[in-house]
Amino acid sequence: MLALLLVLQQSIADSSSFRALALPPATSTRSASGTPGPRYWQQRADYTLQATLDTGTNVLRGQGRIYYVNRSPETLDHVWVQLDQNLFAPNSISRALNLPPLRFAGGVVFDFTSKGFAGGITVDRFAVAGRPLTTKVFGTMMRVELARPLAPNLSITFDIAWHFPIPPYGGGRMGRVGSRFYELGQWYPRMAVYDDVHGWNTLPFLGAGEFYLEFGDFDVSLTVPAGFQVTATGALANPTVIRTPQERARLARAFTSPGQVVQVVTRQEAVAGATRPVPGTRTWRFTASGVRDFAWAAGSGLRWDASVWDGILVQTFYHPEATPWEESNMMLRFALRHFSGALGQYPWPQISAVEGLIEGMEYPTVIYCPSLRKREDQYWVLMHELGHQWFPMQVGSDERRYPWMDEGFNTFADYDAAEAFFKGTPYADSVRRELLAAYAATAIPGSEQPMITKPDEVRELYWTAYQKPALMLTILREAVIGREEFDRAFREYARRWKGKHAQPVDFFRTMSDLTGRDLDWFWRSWIYTTARLDQAVDSVRTRDDSTFLYLSNRAQMVLPVTLELRYADGTSETRSLPVEMWNLGSRFTYRMPSAKRLASVVIDPRVIYPDVNRENNSWRR
Ligand SMILES: [Zn+2]
C-alpha cells in the first residue's frame, strides 16, 4: 500500500516550470528577504606585512602578522590558509592536469601551466607568540593546528614568514618581465574564508576558479630597488619619504584641476628613468582598510598619469611603448563615474591601472591590464577590471564556486558602461548583440554546462561565467522586470552585501524582495539548467469579434512573450504577455477582443531572446 502511494506520489511530482527552487532555508545569518540576517557574521583578517623584492634572484621574501578574529559562533581548533603560489609547485594538481589555456574574446588567453616554470611557496614560519604551529600543506591549501582552540569572539595573531620564486607568467594573474617589471598577486599566505554555508572554504586554486577572501585592513611595507615605481592596493602612507617634490606638486595639480589628466611622470622622464641606475633600495608603505586582498606592481621606467573624479585619484601607470594608453586615464575615469552611478559610489580614495603582461586582472583598488590595439578592446578590459571593484571587491562573493556572481554581474554592467562610453557609434548600438551570437556559437545542446557548475569544471568559461550571465540579466531587466525596477533591485543587492559574503540565495531573495516577483522559474532555467527557448506563433484565426493568436512554447525555458502586431490598415502595435501565460502548459491562446484584420505577427521583434528557432516566430497572412 505504502509502495503504491509512493508510486502515485511520484507520478504526480511537480514538473511545472514554476515550481519552487530548492533553496537553503533562511537563517539568522541570511534572512528570507535577502538581507544579511540579524546575526550575520563573517571572520576578519588584518595583515601587517613586510616584503622584499630581490630582483637579482627574482625571489619575494615576506614576513609579518595576521590578526584573525573568530566572529563565528563556533570554536575553531584549526584554520586554513591559502598558498596560491603552490599552483606552480612541481607536484601541483594543475601541473598534473596539464590544463588547456582559458580563451576569452579578442584572443585573450590565460595559460595556467605557467609555461613550464616550477616554483611554489615556502612557509618559513607560522607561529603564535613565538611558538611554531603544526601545519600541513595540501597543494594550494594549508591546515594550521591551533595550540589552543579559538573560541567565538576571540582573536589570534599569527606570526608568519615566507618566500617564493616569482614566475615570469603567474597563471595569467601575476608575473614579471625579466627583472625590471613585476605584477604581484596571490603573494602572501591568505586566510581561507570560514563562513556559515560551507564552513572552511578549501577548494584548491587550480587556475580557472578565482578567489574567496575575508575582508580586513592592510599595512604593507615593500622594499624594492630605489629606482622602482610602486603602485599598490590602498594609499601610500609615506609619500613625503617616497615622492619627489615635483611628483607631489603634479599630484596636487590633479586635485586642483579635476577632470584634467596630469602627467606625473612624462614619457621623457620615464625613458630616462628606465636606464638611470639608482643604487640601494627604498621601502614603500601602503595602508588599506575594508579590502579583501592586497596586490602591487613595481618597475622602472613607467609613465604615470593622474586625474581626479569626485575626490578619487585615478592613476594609470604604463610603459612608454604602450599604445594607446594616453587615453586610458580618461577611460578609467569615465567608467568610475558610470559604475559609481549605476552600482553605488566607489568607496576607496584611489584606483590604479597598471599596463603590463597580465591580460586583465582585478585586485582591490589596483587592476592589471595589457596594451590593446583596438580602442574598444582597451576600454573594455580597463572598464571590466574596474567593474570588479564592485563585484567581488565590495560584494565579496565566492568566486571559486560562483564566477557568474562576479564575472557575470560585472560583464552585465560592462555592456551598459560600453554603451555609455561609445554612445552614438555603431559599436554602442551593436555590442550587446554579440551575446546572442555567442549563444548560437557556444550554447550547444549536450556540451553546454549550467552556470552553477564550478569554474574548474567548465569547458567554456567565457560563455558560462561571463557572457551567459550578462545575457540572463539583460533579459531579466528588459523583458521580465523592467529597467527601473531591475536597476533599483540590482543596486540594492550591491548595497546590502557591500563588505560581506553574498551567496546565490541572497541575490535571488533580494531580487524578489524588491520587485515582488517569484523568479524561481527564471533562475532554474538560466542558472541550474541549460534549458533552451523556442517561442512560436502557430496560427491566427478571427471569429466573430475576436482574433485568436495560437502561441506555443516548444522548448524547456519559459519567458514572457512580446508580440509585434501589424494590421492590414498599415497600423501596428507591440503587446507584452506575462510569463503566467505558460501556467497551464506549453500552448496558449491569446484572445484579442478585436476583429481588426491582422497582416503579420512577430514574436520577440527586438530580437533580445536567444530563441533557438526564429523561423516559427512570425506569421504572415
Ligand atoms: Zn573579470
Side-chain angles (χ1 to χ4, degrees):
M1 187 60 190
L2 186 64
L4 182 63
L5 272 176
L6 283 173
V7 168
L8 282 172
Q9 273 175 359
Q10 276 170 6
S11 70
I12 54 165
D14 187 357
S15 62
S16 154
S17 299
F18 299 99
R19 68 192 187 278
L21 260 188
L23 295 175
T27 63
S28 59
T29 314
R30 294 169 196 278
S31 77
S33 62
T35 60
R39 296 224 172 119
Y40 177 82
W41 58 267
Q42 70 191 26
Q43 309 295 68
R44 181 186 180 102
D46 295 337
Y47 298 80
T48 306
L49 307 173
Q50 302 91 41
T52 302
L53 177 63
D54 183 339
T55 54
T57 57
N58 286 313
V59 168
L60 188 288
R61 279 178 197 284
Q63 58 163 8
R65 292 191 310 274
I66 307 173
Y67 173 73
Y68 184 75
V69 187
N70 179 17
R71 287 174 170 165
S72 83
E74 289 103 31
T75 296
L76 305 175
D77 58 12
H78 63 270
V79 300
W80 283 90
V81 174
Q82 309 190 57
L83 305 177
D84 310 89
Q85 289 296 325
N86 277 348
L87 183 76
F88 317 119
N91 58 352
S92 80
I93 296 175
S94 307
R95 196 172 290 271
L97 297 181
N98 196 23
L99 293 164
L102 202 57
R103 293 180 192 284
F104 292 91
V108 170
V109 176
F110 275 67
D111 186 341
F112 304 128
T113 65
S114 297
K115 305 182 177 180
F117 174 84
I121 192 168
T122 304
V123 177
D124 302 304
R125 184 168 72 242
F126 214 103
V128 170
R131 298 187 45 188
L133 299 177
T134 304
T135 60
K136 178 146 193 197
V137 175
F138 301 82
T140 61
M141 289 288 167
M142 179 172 76
R143 190 182 61 217
V144 179
E145 311 291 347
L146 302 182
R148 257 186 302 161
L150 185 63
N153 294 315
L154 292 187
S155 66
I156 190 167
T157 300
F158 300 112
D159 175 16
I160 62 170
W162 76 98
H163 69 274
F164 66 88
I166 302 167
Y169 182 81
R173 295 194 178 83
M174 59 164 297
R176 62 182 164 85
V177 178
S179 298
R180 60 188 166 88
F181 179 66
Y182 298 80
E183 290 174 295
L184 277 303
Q186 300 81 253
W187 61 279
Y188 59 94
R190 307 190 289 185
M191 297 304 299
V193 173
Y194 184 73
D195 68 21
D196 57 302
V197 178
H198 294 102
W200 284 109
N201 285 264
T202 55
L203 290 175
F205 177 38
L206 300 182
E210 289 187 338
F211 310 111
Y212 187 28
L213 298 157
E214 302 287 14
F215 287 89
D217 295 347
F218 286 78
D219 184 336
V220 179
S221 297
L222 302 167
T223 301
V224 301
F228 273 24
Q229 178 72 250
V230 180
T231 187
T233 296
L236 185 65
N238 58 345
T240 49
V241 176
I242 293 294
R243 304 279 190 232
T244 64
Q246 187 181 54
E247 287 170 350
R248 274 183 273 154
R250 289 174 177 176
L251 267 181
R253 190 145 54 80
F255 279 93
T256 51
S257 45
Q260 199 185 311
V261 179
V262 174
Q263 295 188 42
V264 185
V265 175
T266 65
R267 173 191 289 272
Q268 277 167 328
E269 289 161 354
V271 170
T275 49
R276 188 190 323 121
V278 186
T281 60
R282 280 200 304 178
T283 299
W284 300 57
R285 186 173 161 218
F286 292 89
T287 54
S289 73
V291 291
R292 40 171 266 163
D293 199 2
F294 186 102
W296 53 292
S300 59
L302 293 171
R303 293 181 68 175
W304 174 15
D305 292 345
S307 67
V308 170
W309 175 75
D310 206 14
I312 301 159
L313 181 63
V314 178
Q315 306 186 87
T316 38
F317 297 86
Y318 53 107
H319 296 89
E321 67 273 20
T323 50
W325 267 70
E326 283 81 0
E327 203 190 354
S328 294
N329 197 282
M330 185 273 285
M331 289 175 163
L332 201 59
R333 198 172 65 245
F334 181 93
L336 181 69
R337 190 180 61 198
H338 172 88
F339 286 131
S340 288
L343 304 170
Q345 180 72 5
Y346 181 81
W348 292 296
Q350 67 90 20
I351 177 74
S352 294
V354 183
E355 179 271 331
L357 69 156
I358 304 309
E359 295 283 10
M361 186 57 199
E362 67 281 6
Y363 296 96
T365 81
V366 57
I367 58 178
Y368 300 152
C369 178
S371 173
L372 296 161
R373 221 168 336 114
K374 267 179 70 185
R375 186 165 176 255
E376 289 84 359
D377 294 344
Q378 188 67 70
Y379 176 71
W380 187 278
V381 179
L382 274 167
M383 167 273 282
H384 173 86
E385 308 312 339
L386 176 67
H388 278 304
Q389 300 303 317
W390 282 263
F391 309 110
M393 300 312 160
Q394 290 181 58
V395 180
S397 59
D398 178 352
E399 300 178 84
R400 191 141 310 160
R401 276 191 179 82
Y402 308 121
W404 57 275
M405 293 179 74
D406 75 295
E407 296 298 353
F409 288 8
N410 179 21
T411 302
F412 165 71
D414 294 346
Y415 279 97
D416 288 349
E419 286 162 353
F421 186 75
F422 293 102
K423 197 171 178 317
T425 68
Y427 175 81
D429 295 341
S430 65
V431 60
R432 203 181 293 258
R433 298 225 152 264
E434 70 195 17
L435 294 175
L436 290 181
Y439 186 98
T442 322
I444 310 297
S447 88
E448 190 193 12
Q449 297 165 282
M451 215 184 276
I452 199 69
T453 314
K454 287 199 289 293
D456 289 308
E457 301 168 31
V458 170
R459 291 180 292 270
E460 297 283 354
L461 195 68
Y462 190 55
W463 168 248
T464 309
Y466 294 68
Q467 293 180 303
K468 190 172 187 182
L471 180 63
M472 169 179 84
L473 295 179
T474 298
I475 287 170
L476 185 63
R477 179 170 72 181
E478 305 302 327
V480 179
I481 292 178
R483 185 169 277 253
E484 197 179 315
E485 288 299 308
F486 174 92
D487 287 349
R488 181 168 170 262
F490 195 61
R491 197 183 149 98
E492 174 64 6
Y493 163 72
R495 192 196 66 79
R496 285 178 173 184
W497 291 92
K498 182 177 169 182
K500 298 188 168 70
H501 296 312
Q503 294 284 331
V505 68
D506 304 316
F507 174 66
F508 301 154
R509 286 177 172 147
T510 291
M511 294 306 281
S512 286
D513 181 47
L514 271 291
T515 64
R517 307 288 185 111
D518 168 17
L519 294 167
D520 284 10
W521 55 275
F522 186 85
W523 309 129
R524 175 185 294 105
S525 55
W526 281 93
I527 297 176
Y528 293 94
T529 73
T530 56
R532 262 143 251 282
L533 178 78
D534 184 12
Q535 296 180 340
V537 49
D538 297 332
S539 61
V540 175
R541 259 175 239 155
T542 309
R543 222 179 312 131
D544 303 328
D545 284 340
S546 294
T547 303
F548 297 86
L549 304 187
Y550 296 89
L551 309 172
S552 63
N553 195 48
R554 299 188 182 181
Q556 309 86 358
M557 179 183 278
V558 290
L559 278 175
V561 168
T562 303
L563 297 169
E564 184 187 69
L565 308 172
R566 291 189 176 278
Y567 297 97
D569 64 6
T571 59
S572 65
E573 64 175 316
T574 302
R575 293 195 183 197
S576 298
L577 306 184
V579 72
E580 287 82 355
M581 64 191 287
W582 308 120
N583 269 348
L584 296 181
S586 59
R587 288 176 189 283
F588 180 75
T589 306
Y590 179 50
R591 174 174 175 265
M592 297 194 298
S594 157
K596 203 169 154 186
R597 198 175 158 79
L598 267 172
S600 70
V601 176
V602 175
I603 288 180
D604 187 26
R606 288 190 291 156
V607 194
I608 63 170
Y609 283 173
D611 195 312
V612 294
N613 181 4
R614 299 203 80 87
E615 306 212 327
N616 56 29
N617 280 31
S618 54
W619 170 90
R620 233 164 279 278
R621 182 172 295 280

